[in-house]
Amino acid sequence: MPNERLRGAVSARELTTQRCAELLGVDPKTVERWITRDRVPHRAHRVAAADLLGVDETYLWPSVVDDLRTVSAGRAEMVEFYPSRSAVPLELWRSLIQQARESVDILVFAGLFLPELHDITQLGERARQGCRIRVLLADPNGAAVRRRGDEEGFGVGLAHRVLLSLRYYEPILAIPGVEVRLHDTTLYASIFRVDETMLVNTHVYGSTAAHNPVLHLRRVPGGRVVDHYLTSFDRVWTHAKRTSDINAVIAAFDGR
């Protein structure tokens, strides 16, 4: 049976079988067999093909979900489990920012605890040294933050926490490599990613983030968990609104 998902993904990228093979460093006949005979490539080629086509490898080859090596690698990505965010050692949060070299990605509603733990100008210093900083905060005027505020029992207080967080980030907004966007997305987890390490703070209905479990993850070759959460981050990032004028955001909130 042909792999129509793979065929469609190649077509969507406006690639030919020949060009796809060249970019992946394999024989065109190999790619043709992947498509026409639904052959499952070796792991390295699966990862490279999925990255080239901009989709998850399990979408192209669902059978790899049950691959024992994939399952084992996914388990290896788990470094530690914390029963609540407040149980995460403060030194871990601080060391992650201090050690950041390539990327810092933050997805939260308000995440006010971060600027309370760190001098946010440290993120600016990382950016000046070539580190990409992406911060996603909730749109204080959005439906998602109002809904979450009601669920947690804070009401409009959660939106005010977002505005306060924005004020903390304001001094570094003009630094190249730093970008803050506002999202109006239902979050199932807050994500804190620094290079190959990630902390995932799960969300529980009616419970504040500080009281919810945290997964400490680190990317392992062949693992899918970190990349799975990064895909989620990128989807929110794509649809979020750019913001460079904090005062305009605050004025829009005050003027509701």
Side-chain angles (χ1 to χ4, degrees):
M1 176 180 290
N3 187 330
E4 296 299 343
R5 290 184 178 183
L6 179 56
R7 191 196 305 276
V10 171
S11 177
R13 286 286 178 174
E14 299 183 347
L15 296 172
T16 63
T17 301
Q18 176 74 34
R19 183 55 179 157
C20 189
E22 291 175 0
L23 294 172
L24 295 174
V26 299
D27 190 282
K29 292 182 180 179
T30 298
V31 176
E32 190 66 32
R33 284 193 290 270
W34 295 349
I35 295 174
T36 61
R37 302 182 187 179
D38 197 17
R39 293 282 181 85
V40 179
H42 294 301
R43 182 167 55 183
H45 287 150
R46 289 200 310 266
V47 172
D51 184 60
L52 172 65
L53 300 175
V55 295
D56 193 287
E57 65 170 309
T58 58
Y59 169 77
L60 298 174
W61 298 285
S63 62
V64 304
V65 172
D66 298 322
D67 181 80
L68 292 179
R69 288 180 299 177
T70 300
V71 173
S72 178
R75 289 172 177 166
E77 287 184 288
M78 174 72 80
V79 177
E80 184 59 90
F81 170 83
Y82 297 100
S84 67
R85 195 185 70 199
S86 56
V88 179
L90 297 181
E91 186 53 37
L92 176 57
W93 293 108
R94 296 187 177 116
S95 66
L96 287 177
I97 300 300
Q98 293 167 357
Q99 296 168 10
R101 293 294 178 267
E102 297 180 358
S103 300
V104 174
D105 294 329
I106 299 169
L107 170 59
V108 291
F109 275 116
L112 192 55
F113 77 99
L114 276 179
E116 290 175 344
L117 285 177
H118 295 283
D119 180 355
I120 288 299
T121 58
Q122 289 182 2
L123 286 176
E125 291 303 315
R126 300 276 75 76
R128 290 189 179 96
Q129 295 174 16
C131 188
R132 181 190 65 183
I133 311 295
R134 299 189 297 176
V135 180
L136 279 163
L137 299 176
D139 183 345
N141 297 300
V145 75
R146 290 196 296 273
R147 182 166 55 250
R148 184 63 180 175
D150 291 340
E151 292 169 356
E152 292 182 348
F154 283 127
V156 74
L158 180 56
H160 284 291
R161 291 175 66 83
V162 175
L163 295 174
L164 185 54
S165 281
L166 281 168
R167 282 299 190 196
Y168 276 112
Y169 287 101
E170 188 174 18
I172 67 172
L173 284 181
I175 299 173
V178 176
E179 186 173 355
V180 175
R181 295 187 183 183
L182 301 178
H183 71 85
D184 190 17
T185 307
T186 298
L187 294 188
Y188 302 99
S190 296
I191 297 173
F192 310 87
R193 177 270 187 110
V194 177
D195 297 338
E196 301 300 299
T197 299
M198 178 180 287
L199 295 175
V200 178
N201 189 183
T202 62
H203 286 197
V204 176
Y205 182 85
S207 177
T208 59
H211 298 133
N212 298 336
V214 173
L215 311 178
H216 181 184
L217 307 172
R218 184 170 180 82
R219 181 187 273 119
V220 170
R224 296 185 54 255
V225 181
V226 170
D227 287 339
H228 187 65
Y229 279 110
L230 277 179
T231 298
S232 173
F233 180 97
D234 288 335
R235 286 173 178 163
V236 178
W237 182 259
T238 298
H239 297 290
K241 297 187 299 185
R242 298 173 182 269
T243 180
S244 58
D245 189 344
I246 303 301
N247 289 323
V249 176
I250 294 174
F253 180 79
D254 290 340
R256 289 187 305 168

